[in-house]
Amino acid sequence: KFNLDGQGVLTLLNSLDFEAIRVYDLLISCYEVAASGTIHTTTAQLVVLVSAVNDNEPSFDQSTYTDTVSENTAIGTTVLSVSASDNDLTTPHNKTLFTLSGANSHLFRVTSEGSLVTADFLDAETSFGIYQFSVLAYNPAPGVSTATAVVRITLTDVNEDPPVCGGGVINLVLEPS
């Protein structure tokens, strides 16, 4: 991971990863050969502390989340849960938050725990019975992009508009053919 040149300059050969190794304990030995042939040596300990950075992006447990709900599901009902994780070990780098994006996503909201909740009335007739949109996972620390998964909610139709016949009596006259 490290290189010490003849001038005493220590350089990094590979990137460091806080999640893999947090501390490097190096023992540096220097020597010189005197004109008399005597070798003089000294050693020093160098401790390298690796800082945590936001170098891992969130990852969803599934690429698509699906569920079927009735179109008369009450506002505020949890319809499904999404889950994502982040391999960073420290806060805020490992905190995962969610947001929704796309057509019909305004009909739902997502909690910080990943619960997808109805935020408006659902209607199978206006959506062809399916709402599809994206859920994004991100963390509040700067440095890494978001992860995206698809949400597909299928609505079961409820007969909320039964047929209505006109009021009164209908007179029908049929003539023989």
Side-chain angles (χ1 to χ4, degrees):
K1 293 277 184 184
F2 302 93
N3 180 55
L4 182 63
D5 70 14
Q7 304 299 316
V9 176
L10 183 69
T11 56
L12 188 62
L13 298 175
N14 302 82
S15 61
L16 304 180
D17 186 359
F18 178 84
E19 285 75 30
I21 300 174
R22 297 181 191 175
V23 177
Y24 290 88
D25 193 1
L26 306 176
L27 186 61
I28 299 173
S29 297
C30 299
Y31 66 93
E32 74 174 355
V33 179
S36 64
T38 306
I39 299 175
H40 301 280
T41 64
T42 187
T43 59
Q45 180 182 16
L46 176 63
V47 177
V48 178
L49 302 175
V50 181
S51 297
V53 295
N54 190 20
D55 59 344
N56 292 293
E57 64 185 32
S59 174
F60 279 99
D61 297 344
Q62 299 173 214
S63 60
T64 303
Y65 292 87
T66 60
D67 201 1
T68 300
V69 297
S70 173
E71 72 174 337
N72 66 354
T73 299
I75 294 174
T77 301
T78 298
V79 295
L80 61 81
S81 292
V82 298
S83 179
S85 58
D86 186 317
N87 289 332
D88 288 313
L89 296 178
T90 60
T91 302
H93 306 127
N94 63 354
K95 180 156 180 63
T96 303
L97 302 174
F98 301 97
T99 188
L100 302 176
S101 174
N104 300 313
S105 64
H106 66 282
L107 299 172
F108 302 88
R109 64 180 175 81
V110 62
T111 67
S112 58
E113 294 81 26
S115 296
L116 189 71
V117 179
T118 55
D120 204 344
F121 296 104
L122 308 179
D123 187 0
E125 287 77 24
T126 60
S127 67
F128 301 105
I130 296 176
Y131 292 129
Q132 182 169 313
F133 48 89
S134 297
V135 58
L136 289 78
Y138 66 97
N139 59 40
V144 174
S145 62
T146 61
T148 304
V150 173
V151 174
R152 186 176 301 119
I153 305 293
T154 302
L155 300 178
T156 55
D157 192 17
V158 174
N159 190 10
E160 70 270 345
D161 297 316
V164 177
C165 293
V169 176
I170 298 174
N171 293 319
L172 182 62
V173 177
L174 298 175
E175 296 186 18
S177 46

